[in-house]
Amino acid sequence: MAVEHSNRTRHLMYVKQIENGLDLTGIAKSVAAIYDTSLEPGQSIQPHYHPESEEIYYILSGYGIMTIGDEKQEISRGDVVYIPASAPHTLLNTGSVPLRFMTVSAKGDR
């Protein structure tokens, strides 16, 4: 977000806590939202897709199986997963501890 003063532009800092997601519509040009998610052992995100946005998962702790389309891969702490717009995807916690990850949702029309 910027505020114009005469011939200068002043940039404003944006700092918020992530609680049940952080909607960045109107703040960021290409990032729509950021989420901090935790899946308990055996829990999964049901298959779904986002027709107008890409996603990136950054795995903070735990491990599981990521499925994008017909592809499956084990994921664990430190992995970054790119999910294209309209790609069906799901994530299953196959571990014995919570699987925690950050999701960055980016608008498709950048």
Side-chain angles (χ1 to χ4, degrees):
M1 177 181 245
V3 177
E4 291 190 29
H5 296 281
S6 304
N7 295 331
R8 298 182 322 214
T9 300
R10 191 177 108 218
H11 297 278
L12 302 177
M13 185 179 294
Y14 182 84
V15 178
K16 298 281 184 185
Q17 289 284 313
I18 296 176
E19 294 177 18
N20 299 320
L22 180 60
D23 183 356
L24 296 173
T25 304
I27 302 298
K29 291 182 181 179
S30 62
V31 176
I34 299 173
Y35 301 94
D36 182 348
T37 305
S38 186
L39 297 176
E40 292 301 317
Q43 189 178 15
S44 67
I45 295 174
Q46 295 303 308
H48 67 287
Y49 67 97
H50 309 278
E52 298 180 10
S53 63
E54 303 167 302
E55 286 187 321
I56 296 172
Y57 289 1
Y58 175 63
I59 310 304
L60 299 169
S61 62
Y63 56 94
I65 301 289
M66 183 78 216
T67 303
I68 301 174
D70 295 332
E71 296 181 64
K72 291 185 180 207
Q73 186 168 333
E74 291 186 3
I75 51 95
S76 62
R77 185 177 65 83
D79 286 345
V80 174
V81 179
Y82 168 72
I83 304 164
S86 297
H89 57 282
T90 185
L91 178 57
L92 169 65
N93 180 350
T94 57
S96 58
V97 298
L99 170 60
R100 185 170 170 229
F101 60 100
M102 300 295 293
T103 302
V104 176
S105 178
K107 300 172 190 172
D109 58 312
R110 286 181 273 158

